[in-house]
Amino acid sequence: MAEALARHSMVKASTTGWAAVMDRYPELASEPIVASWIHAGRPLIVRRPACSDTAGRVPLGLPLPPSHGKRRIALSLAAADIVASAPPPLLADAAAAAPAHWSATIDLLLALLPETRTFGSLAWEHLTGLPYLSESSDLDLLWPLSAVTQAKILPSDIAAIARQAPMRLDGEITAPAGGVQWRELTGDEADEVLVKGPAGVTSTTRAAFLAGAAS
């Protein structure tokens, strides 16, 4: 399962697996919100592996809400301890948790690409019911591509929406090779961009990344 899970996937851990994590990290077990995270039905998010991660385990993250210090907790689980997984939520599904003044921008984003997904503060507020959003929150998005022609016009279309948005639009345009921060794809075709894949970061040109969008 470790290889099959894409970065930003949302996973649920078994209670026994979570108990083992709490045994390994007693400093986390002493925090009630963390200790009860899985029992409350809340997910974890798949992240890129770090040098300190144990080989063969699934690298995961648990971002706490601002009321708990906005900490980003890194941990890992054995694949057998993951009982369910899903892509990050669709923006259309998470929109109800967004501030009212975001609604016009969200409508434009959904009209541009209905398959857009979200993985940041909005996603976590939608998935957990906890207060993640603040006045300074970004809207973190994933724009999955299915056609090269779509890829070539999408960055400029996002930029046009971003110029009028009341929040910062952040996130990646994703293709089979991985994801690229969308602003990097608004430059010249020969510009180098960083591709964040499941195992690490590679570089390529903007033109090469967009050309492989549907491969």
Side-chain angles (χ1 to χ4, degrees):
M1 180 175 286
E3 294 182 358
L5 290 173
R7 189 167 59 96
H8 297 126
S9 294
M10 299 290 180
V11 306
K12 296 288 183 71
S14 68
T15 54
T16 54
W18 193 243
V21 170
M22 294 298 96
D23 287 341
R24 289 199 307 275
Y25 303 101
E27 71 281 7
L28 297 180
S30 66
E31 299 188 39
I33 189 173
V34 177
S36 64
W37 194 260
I38 296 303
H39 303 285
R42 297 169 184 149
L44 305 166
I45 188 167
V46 177
R47 58 177 173 80
R48 288 199 314 274
C51 295
S52 57
D53 287 323
T54 303
R57 297 178 66 86
V58 183
L60 301 168
L62 192 170
L64 294 179
S67 59
H68 288 76
K70 207 173 181 179
R71 290 177 58 196
R72 298 293 183 262
I73 298 170
L75 45 89
S76 63
L77 282 173
D81 288 324
I82 293 176
V83 296
S85 66
L90 289 165
L91 177 59
D93 292 337
H101 66 285
W102 286 18
S103 60
T105 297
I106 289 175
D107 287 345
L108 291 173
L109 290 164
L110 293 176
L112 177 63
L113 191 67
E115 300 84 5
T116 300
R117 294 185 179 274
T118 183
F119 64 93
S121 297
L122 176 60
W124 288 100
E125 185 142 336
H126 164 66
L127 291 168
T128 69
L130 297 172
Y132 279 83
L133 290 163
S134 69
E135 289 296 322
S136 61
S137 291
D138 297 343
L139 179 53
D140 300 294
L141 301 171
L142 298 171
W143 292 272
L145 295 176
S146 58
V148 173
T149 52
Q150 178 191 56
K152 291 180 177 177
I153 62 172
L154 186 60
S156 59
D157 288 343
I158 296 170
I161 296 173
R163 285 193 289 270
Q164 305 298 322
M167 81 298 274
R168 176 180 168 84
L169 296 186
D170 206 353
E172 300 171 8
I173 293 175
T174 63
V180 173
Q181 213 282 341
W182 74 265
R183 286 180 177 83
E184 292 188 45
L185 293 169
T186 60
D188 186 86
E189 287 194 349
D191 288 345
E192 186 177 89
V193 297
L194 295 179
V195 184
K196 298 176 182 178
V201 179
T202 58
S203 64
T204 188
T205 64
R206 175 180 180 268
F209 176 80
L210 296 179
S215 63

